[in-house]
Amino acid sequence: MDERYEVAIFRIAQELVNNAIKHSKSRQINVQVIQEQERINLVVQDNGIGFNPDKLKDKNTSGLNSIRSRVESLKGQLDFFSEPQKGTEVQVNFNF
Amino acid sequence: MIKVGLVDDHPLFLEGLNKLIVASGIAEVIFAAKDGKECLRQLAFNYPNVLLLDINLPDYSGIDLCKEIHDCWPQVNIIALTSFGEYTIVRKMLDNGALGYLLKNAMPEEILQGVETVAKGETFLCHEIDVFMKRDSHRHVFLTPRETDLLRLIVKGYTNPEIAVELFLGVETINSYRKNLLFKLNARNTAVLVKMAIEEKLI
């Protein structure tokens, strides 16, 4: 696999796990990486307090920005799913 | 003497089980509840050492009830006594605090052996489940909440664009998730995915 994807997945996972530890108050964090010939997919999911994803649009924290720019620069796809009290699930996908 | 509580919605089965336990001389039945509500009411007054819990109850999912009982009364050792033998159900019951798992086709001696073992705080799986759980092909697959949502809609026959509308997501995202499901369940195509979802009770 291209080293750029490797670094991106590692850094994004690190940032997402950090965020979950810092903010989610969850008891469990699940990190899943699926690598296939034509793609790599990362999911970081927690069962914590969640948040309203609409508020994410106005957030410009450095951690979040770095995730967005890493995903954009490699033409990947980033999705946040969250609801208050229902945990958070973030998916990143890169097609090679 | 071991104190046993029974929960099952079939009166005939409850009666038979009651007689079996009393006749064994190793245990006594302190209550026999026909649903989850009655079981919780009984537990407020009586702690059995062992609770034989059916999974398919009229008012409760036995899987959720198991967790609730285990959280509130950790001293009660729970045995699932059920006709369900699917891997996911056994896994969920054990994850939710059950110490034992017996199938309803178990022999009477096996049921009594289970009661005795679990009363000591040890785990007990009936022979059929024990063999089944040790089979390599049944690895535990954890699905994230989104993957489970998607699988539920796939089983209902929704197409990717329909799922995208239902879950407020892009078709590309749905595609990635669908690929994740195929990969994790080692399914060749959607038909196999649907078959596995139903057979293994993943949704």
Side-chain angles (χ1 to χ4, degrees):
Chain A
M1 188 174 53
D2 188 325
E3 200 181 283
R4 289 175 306 158
Y5 292 110
E6 238 172 71
V7 174
I9 288 288
F10 177 74
R11 290 290 174 209
I12 293 168
Q14 196 174 32
E15 185 59 39
L16 290 172
V17 170
N18 254 333
N19 284 351
I21 293 170
K22 262 196 258 170
H23 307 295
S24 77
K25 298 196 176 122
S26 61
R27 289 167 62 193
Q28 202 182 333
I29 301 169
N30 168 44
V31 180
Q32 163 184 303
V33 181
I34 292 178
Q35 188 184 344
E36 292 183 282
Q37 208 151 30
E38 79 296 352
R39 69 177 195 126
I40 186 159
N41 182 282
L42 165 75
V43 175
V44 177
Q45 175 254 335
D46 67 62
N47 58 0
I49 55 170
F51 60 92
N52 181 353
D54 289 341
K55 292 191 177 154
L56 207 64
K57 287 173 193 145
D58 323 321
K59 278 245 161 80
N60 264 321
T61 59
S62 62
L64 202 56
N65 280 340
S66 101
I67 294 177
R68 282 190 185 123
S69 69
R70 281 181 199 280
V71 173
E72 276 165 24
S73 71
L74 293 171
K75 298 198 169 39
Q77 163 205 332
L78 169 70
D79 294 286
F80 279 87
F81 313 97
S82 192
E83 250 182 274
Q85 306 311 323
K86 290 204 173 158
T88 300
E89 190 167 327
V90 185
Q91 188 209 209
V92 176
N93 194 73
F94 293 117
N95 290 321
F96 306 140
Chain B
M1 195 176 273
I2 304 166
K3 290 181 185 166
V4 177
L6 310 175
V7 194
D8 198 291
D9 59 332
H10 292 102
L12 202 61
F13 187 79
L14 216 49
E15 184 60 31
L17 200 56
N18 195 342
K19 284 203 172 126
L20 169 74
I21 289 167
V22 172
S24 74
I26 60 157
E28 57 176 333
V29 175
I30 60 165
F31 68 79
K34 62 179 184 321
D35 55 34
K37 225 186 220 170
E38 196 182 332
C39 166
L40 290 172
R41 208 168 38 236
Q42 289 285 354
L43 283 171
F45 301 105
N46 285 316
Y47 301 145
N49 306 109
V50 176
L51 183 73
L52 286 164
L53 176 65
D54 186 16
I55 292 179
N56 194 14
L57 293 168
D59 57 343
Y60 261 89
S61 137
I63 295 169
D64 297 338
L65 186 61
C66 180
K67 184 166 175 19
E68 196 173 330
I69 296 170
H70 182 65
D71 288 348
C72 298
W73 296 280
Q75 69 274 42
V76 176
N77 297 320
I78 303 166
I79 301 179
L81 182 54
T82 171
S83 44
F84 294 126
E86 289 86 1
Y87 178 87
T88 331
I89 306 250
V90 181
R91 193 66 262 161
K92 278 184 189 160
M93 283 304 278
L94 298 179
D95 287 347
N96 281 358
L99 271 184
Y101 203 102
L102 290 166
L103 288 175
K104 282 188 172 170
N105 65 4
M107 298 301 282
E109 306 83 68
E110 206 170 22
I111 294 181
L112 296 173
Q113 200 188 343
V115 169
E116 272 189 303
T117 311
V118 166
K120 286 185 261 176
E122 295 165 15
T123 53
F124 184 90
L125 303 178
C126 68
H127 180 69
E128 204 177 316
I129 293 294
D130 193 35
V131 171
F132 173 72
M133 294 300 279
K134 283 177 184 153
R135 280 215 309 250
D136 290 338
S137 60
H138 288 279
R139 61 200 171 93
H140 182 32
V141 179
F142 171 85
L143 297 183
T144 71
R146 282 298 81 66
E147 285 165 352
T148 312
D149 286 345
L150 180 68
L151 189 57
R152 195 175 295 123
L153 294 174
I154 291 174
V155 170
K156 280 187 179 170
Y158 283 50
T159 61
N160 276 6
E162 284 168 346
I163 294 171
V165 170
E166 187 77 12
L167 297 179
F168 305 105
L169 296 171
V171 177
E172 271 305 302
T173 307
I174 300 296
N175 249 328
S176 306
Y177 264 99
R178 192 186 273 263
K179 282 180 188 165
N180 285 2
L181 281 172
L182 291 168
F183 181 88
K184 284 171 85 170
L185 298 174
N186 200 14
R188 257 180 311 131
N189 52 39
T190 307
V192 178
L193 202 62
V194 170
K195 183 171 168 271
M196 289 179 76
I198 294 167
E199 278 180 6
E200 307 264 324
K201 295 201 165 29
L202 296 169
I203 47 170

